[in-house]
Amino acid sequence: MKILTIDVGLGTQDIMFYDSKESIENSPKLVMPSPTRIIADRIAESKGDLFIKGETMGGGFITKVVKEHLKDHQVFMTENAARTIRDNLDYVKSLGVEIVPSSEAEKYSDLTQIEFKDVDLYAIKSALAEFDVDPSFDYLGVAVQDHGYMEGVGDRDFRFMKIREKLDVPKGPEEFAYFGEAPSYFTRINAVLRSFNNYNTAVMDSKFASVCGATCDRYVKTLEKFIVMDIGNGHTLAAAFDGGKIVGVFEHHTRNMTPDKIDLFVNKLADGTITHEEVHEDHGHGAWSLKPIGDFEAIVATGPRRNVLEKTDFNVHYAAPAGDVMMTGPAGLIKAIQSKNG
């Protein structure tokens, strides 16, 4: 089986093309600037009024440059593209964006055109082909971060409401993948699925993809009780494991994750006393615990900001599935797809 995987992050998009007939360590890999950065730069460099079409994708830098562009120019966006700024379209309109039907795109053909998408499959396949790699695949795996959306509910609260529902019993991280369809409230995940509905496609939240990939590390496979921490540029997610199953999680903003706070929340996660309220009130996303794991063997670390753990007293192992610390997300997607397909 050939699997093309793309983990779309805030800073980079991490790509692995896996062929089950070959060693995973020999898989072609790319670490490139994230679509959010690429498209934000295109908007920043553009002149005049803009017409933005395409799908819902990661916002971040894009939201900032759209707001800046609106100071001097008009911005027209289709509905799905506008949800990149915020799922609440009334808020997007309040910024000055004019939301227009996709069917009227031709009316704006004279304007600078920008297309939103989390995955540029043409560019990826072209890059592989330049190195004589046949880019055809049996399965596509994509990881994006999606808080989900429900009108009137804050995104942090809603995210953990759905995590609690999913984690009603201990589950393997590969069980957080969606194949072909996902609940409608995951707008970004559904945008990916719409874009590639003619492929066998799996989509995961990027945090759970990285956690899943960390468990593919050879050393981690020998552990019974451990905590995986994916410390990203924007968010940090920690998952407590017992016997290969997740039994508790917390998520916070990385900028708030001091060594002392890591010590506090990790120990509470391990002993099962962490609460959603204390993390949320500390301006984090939240927490959920099914049961304590007690003494654990290691913190398994991944993510670009993982070095903060060097300032703690924990036993830390830096995960490197497929021999590469940047490939935890793709490795997690591969594990989920293989699990689904036996």
Side-chain angles (χ1 to χ4, degrees), residues 53-71:
K53 58 185 178 180
E55 278 291 359
T56 307
M57 63 175 295
F61 304 114
I62 287 175
T63 301
K64 181 178 179 180
V65 295
V66 166
K67 288 180 178 179
E68 190 66 27
H69 202 82
L70 282 163
K71 292 179 181 179

Side-chain angles (χ1 to χ4, degrees), residues 230-243:
D230 178 52
I231 305 177
N233 289 309
H235 299 117
T236 292
L237 185 136
F241 279 80
D242 187 354

